[in-house]
């Protein structure tokens, strides 16, 4: 794992020392000797993570961090504060300024590489989500709204502490319970089940579990889908540093060293919850964006883009496996007159109700109903020959004609019928275009010969 690391320090010797350490681990290194230069480099997108000295003349590190975290271009850039100050209050000040982590001089190599690698991995995840979100415009969907970082701090967190030492977990519970819901698992053997039993937002795990390898538990948590993205905060002793590199490789997000300062614990918990909630909201937004890209906004059915991609996939699969495939095209009869007589709002009601009845009469997880035009719909019917397709189409036709469509909140009823055309894949030389042409011709014949009927078309 490599990244571009910006080292910011007003002392040249410190810059050279950190540059040498990071380059020995194959990181690319940029340097800046003051706050304004550092901000400029970050705003131009030239780095992936910042090692920021606190004690600088003019603009100190806390102020630089606040500027970076308040700018939409740089607020997601990981910042590690580096300082000679060793008071817990200084670490909390840095974390409250928006820093993602804090290192004290002289910097321990294990701590440095552990923090950098962990934050780079998390940034890669966020960058991937943001990149997926940015494709929404290409898909014809409005760009998603960024989650509000202040909103993600409002609600109480749901935290599981895995620790078998009463004095340790009781202290953490006292510290965190005023702001969060905290549960405790004292049996490491059942901790995996405990962690998956509820929607926890953070797991705090002691590395000093009696007779149990805490890193194995971390590995198991990362292997389970339900807990794969839940952040892990490891509680370690000073002598555990050699284990931290392995822990980061297994996917832990952060660690805190005993004796635990309560304010530092609260600040690290806040940081992890904020990052998880942001990524969760971003992931949900991305999924919603992708659904919007393939869904018809009015009816909720799949749209033309979805139809075209899945028709191709189903056609190829049917040919390879020598299985039948049918295509059903449907068109609401005299739909233009509905709009002309009753208005477009009623027309929209008809389309929504038509889509609801259509969905009710296709096979769940098998058939694919799509709206491809104004009043035009198609259903892809895998593993379906023409006989079965006709049975399904007739059932749909009867369902539409048998019961009036209730519109305008129940104040009106409109009789609606549908015409349908069916085409079935005809051998290995058939093509999608030919199949769709046959279905369209069958639909045209159904409408031309009286409407409210189903016609199947052979090659």
């Amino acid at each position: 794992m490599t990244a571009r690391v910006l080292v910011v320090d007003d002392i040249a010797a410190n810059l050279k020392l950190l540059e040498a350490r990071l380059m020995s681990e194959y990181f690319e290194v940029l340097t800046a000797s003051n706050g304004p230069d550092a901000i400029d480099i970050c705003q131009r997108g030239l780095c992936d993570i910042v090692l920021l000295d606190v004690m600088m003349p003019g603009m100190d590190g806390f102020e630089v961090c606040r500027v970076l975290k308040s700018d939409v271009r740089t607020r997601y850039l990981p910042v590690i504060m580096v300082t000679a100050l060793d008071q817990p209050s200084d670490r909390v000040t840095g974390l409250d300024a928006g820093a993602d982590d804090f290192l004290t001089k002289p910097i321990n190599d294990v701590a440095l590489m552990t923090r950098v690698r962990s934050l780079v991995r998390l940034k890669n995840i966020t960058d991937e989500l943001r990149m997926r979100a940015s494709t929404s415009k290409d898909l014809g969907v409005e760009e998603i709204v960024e989650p509000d970082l202040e909103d993600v701090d409002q609600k109480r967190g749901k935290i599981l502490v895995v620790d078998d030492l009463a004095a340790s977990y009781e202290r953490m519970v006292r510290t965190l319970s005023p702001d969060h819901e905290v549960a405790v698992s004292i049996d490491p053997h059942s901790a995996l089940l405990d962690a998956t039993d509820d929607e926890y937002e953070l797991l705090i795990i002691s590395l000093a579990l009696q007779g149990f390898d805490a890193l194995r538990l971390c590995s198991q948590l990362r292997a389970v889908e339900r807990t794969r993205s839940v952040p892990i905060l490891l509680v370690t002793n000073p002598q555990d540093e050699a284990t931290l590199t392995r822990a980061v490789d297994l996917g832990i997000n952060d660690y805190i060293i005993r004796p635990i300062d309560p304010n530092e614990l609260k600040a690290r918990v806040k940081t992890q919850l904020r990052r998880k909630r942001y990524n969760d909201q971003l992931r949900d937004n991305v999924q919603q964006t992708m659904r919007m890209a393939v869904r018809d906004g009015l009816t909720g059915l799949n749209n033309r883009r979805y139809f075209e991609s899945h028709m191709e996939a189903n056609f190829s699969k049917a040919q390879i496996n020598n299985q039948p495939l049918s295509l059903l095209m449907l068109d609401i009869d005299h739909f233009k007159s509905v709009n002309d007589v009753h208005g477009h709002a009623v027309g929209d009601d008809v389309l929504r109700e038509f889509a609801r009845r259509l969905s009710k009469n296709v096979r769940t997880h098998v058939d694919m109903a799509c709206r491809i035009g104004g009043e035009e719909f198609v259903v892809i019917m895998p593993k379906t020959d023409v006989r079965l397709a006709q049975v399904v189409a007739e059932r749909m036709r009867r369902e539409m004609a048998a019961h009036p469509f209730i519109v305008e909140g129940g104040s009106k009823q409109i009789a609606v019928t549908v015409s349908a055309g069916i085409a079935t894949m005809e051998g290995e030389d058939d093509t999608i275009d030919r199949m769709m042409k046959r279905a369209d011709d069958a639909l045209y014949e159904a409408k031309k010969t009286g409407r409210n009927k189903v016609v199947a078309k052979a090659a």
Side-chain angles (χ1 to χ4, degrees):
M1 180 190 302
T2 187
R4 297 167 297 175
V5 183
L6 172 61
V7 180
V8 187
D9 200 309
D10 63 315
I11 300 175
N14 291 340
L15 288 176
K16 291 294 184 184
L17 179 61
L18 281 173
E19 183 178 20
R21 289 180 176 178
L22 290 163
M23 289 183 68
S24 70
E25 295 292 329
Y26 303 102
F27 289 102
E28 297 179 34
V29 181
L30 298 83
T31 61
S33 58
N34 59 72
D37 287 350
I39 292 170
D40 179 64
I41 291 171
C42 295
Q43 289 176 340
R44 287 189 288 142
L46 301 179
C47 62
D48 299 307
I49 187 169
V50 183
L51 292 180
L52 178 61
D53 186 45
V54 170
M55 304 300 291
M56 294 187 297
M59 191 178 198
D60 68 19
F62 295 135
E63 187 177 353
V64 173
C65 186
R66 292 188 187 97
V67 170
L68 293 176
K69 294 301 181 178
S70 64
D71 190 326
V72 68
R73 294 169 293 179
T74 56
R75 67 171 52 163
Y76 313 104
L77 193 63
V79 175
I80 301 178
M81 306 291 287
V82 181
T83 183
L85 304 175
D86 60 357
Q87 294 299 313
S89 59
D90 299 318
R91 293 196 291 272
V92 173
T93 300
L95 293 169
D96 284 343
D100 298 271
D101 221 317
F102 205 100
L103 291 173
T104 303
K105 298 177 182 177
I107 298 174
N108 177 282
D109 283 349
V110 172
L112 172 64
M113 296 309 167
T114 299
R115 301 295 194 193
V116 169
R117 288 195 179 101
S118 176
L119 288 172
V120 167
R121 185 182 66 245
L122 289 168
K123 180 179 184 294
N124 289 340
I125 294 171
T126 301
D127 284 350
E128 182 180 353
L129 288 171
R130 287 170 57 79
M131 181 180 68
R132 291 179 183 177
S134 70
T135 63
S136 59
K137 284 187 175 180
D138 297 333
L139 293 172
V141 180
E142 197 170 300
E143 191 172 9
I144 69 169
V145 177
E146 287 280 0
D148 190 323
L149 291 179
E150 293 185 2
D151 287 347
V152 300
D153 290 334
Q154 298 305 311
K155 67 175 183 176
R156 291 167 62 85
K158 200 172 185 66
I159 301 169
L160 177 66
V161 176
V162 182
D163 196 339
D164 52 10
L165 183 61
S168 174
Y169 66 71
E170 287 172 358
R171 190 177 302 114
M172 286 189 279
V173 170
R174 281 197 303 270
T175 299
L176 298 174
S177 57
D179 301 311
H180 308 287
E181 297 177 28
V182 186
V184 178
S185 178
I186 61 174
D187 179 6
H189 296 280
S190 63
L192 180 63
L193 291 177
D194 293 340
T196 58
D197 193 44
D198 211 332
E199 297 288 342
Y200 291 108
E201 296 179 284
L202 175 65
L203 306 173
I204 302 177
I205 301 176
S206 170
L207 193 57
L209 297 172
Q210 296 297 313
F212 192 88
D213 185 353
L215 292 190
R216 183 169 298 281
L217 174 60
C218 293
S219 175
Q220 293 170 337
L221 289 165
R222 286 295 176 253
V224 176
E225 179 67 27
R226 189 177 178 88
T227 55
R228 187 166 295 155
S229 63
V230 179
I232 297 174
L233 174 64
L234 206 60
V235 180
T236 74
N237 294 310
Q239 65 269 23
D240 293 330
E241 285 186 341
T243 310
L244 290 176
T245 301
R246 293 176 59 199
V248 170
D249 290 340
L250 290 173
I252 71 132
N253 302 79
D254 195 5
Y255 67 90
I256 188 168
I257 298 177
R258 291 189 174 99
I260 296 174
D261 175 71
N263 289 324
E264 182 180 356
L265 176 62
K266 287 192 285 188
R268 291 195 182 280
V269 165
K270 179 181 178 180
T271 298
Q272 293 302 320
L273 290 175
R274 169 181 284 194
R275 185 180 293 120
K276 182 186 188 302
R277 288 170 179 175
Y278 171 78
N279 279 346
D280 283 350
Q281 288 186 26
L282 188 58
R283 188 177 288 109
D284 289 345
N285 286 349
V286 169
Q287 291 174 350
Q288 176 65 18
T289 299
M290 300 307 292
R291 284 194 293 269
M292 290 171 62
V294 297
R295 291 280 182 181
D296 173 58
L298 178 65
T299 65
L301 295 180
N302 298 309
N303 62 14
R304 179 179 286 274
R305 180 182 290 109
Y306 184 96
F307 165 73
E308 290 173 350
S309 63
H310 281 71
M311 182 62 189
E312 183 175 347
N314 278 274
F315 193 86
S316 297
K317 183 177 179 180
Q319 283 191 321
I320 291 171
N321 297 323
N322 194 28
Q323 294 173 335
L325 174 70
S326 292
L327 182 67
L328 175 61
M329 282 193 175
L330 306 103
D331 191 281
I332 299 175
D333 295 329
H334 304 295
F335 182 73
K336 185 177 182 300
S337 67
V338 173
N339 283 330
D340 292 343
V341 174
H342 302 283
H344 288 279
V346 170
D348 289 348
D349 286 345
V350 169
L351 289 171
R352 281 189 286 264
E353 175 61 14
F354 184 90
R356 188 191 68 80
R357 297 189 189 186
L358 182 63
S359 298
K360 189 177 75 171
N361 283 277
V362 299
R363 296 169 296 181
T364 305
H365 306 308
V366 179
D367 300 331
M368 302 178 196
C370 311
R371 181 189 179 199
I372 61 171
E375 68 271 26
E376 298 175 273
F377 297 80
V378 297
V379 180
I380 305 172
M381 309 177 75
K383 300 180 182 179
T384 305
D385 59 21
V386 67
R387 181 192 59 79
L388 179 57
Q390 284 181 302
V391 171
V392 174
E394 278 292 340
R395 184 176 69 234
M396 290 181 186
R397 185 196 63 77
R398 289 194 300 271
E399 171 71 16
M400 301 303 175
H403 309 287
F405 281 41
I406 310 299
V407 296
E408 288 193 337
S411 62
K412 288 183 180 179
Q413 295 185 4
I414 298 177
V416 175
T417 61
V418 62
S419 300
I422 299 171
T424 303
M425 189 178 68
E426 302 284 350
E428 60 182 19
D429 294 329
D430 203 1
T431 67
I432 294 175
D433 288 343
R434 292 174 189 164
M435 187 174 174
M436 291 187 64
K437 178 66 166 56
R438 293 196 300 274
D440 191 57
D441 289 346
L443 174 60
Y444 177 76
E445 183 177 331
K447 298 182 80 68
K448 184 180 178 180
T449 57
R451 304 179 189 270
N452 190 24
K453 64 192 311 185
V454 177
V455 172
K457 201 78 169 180

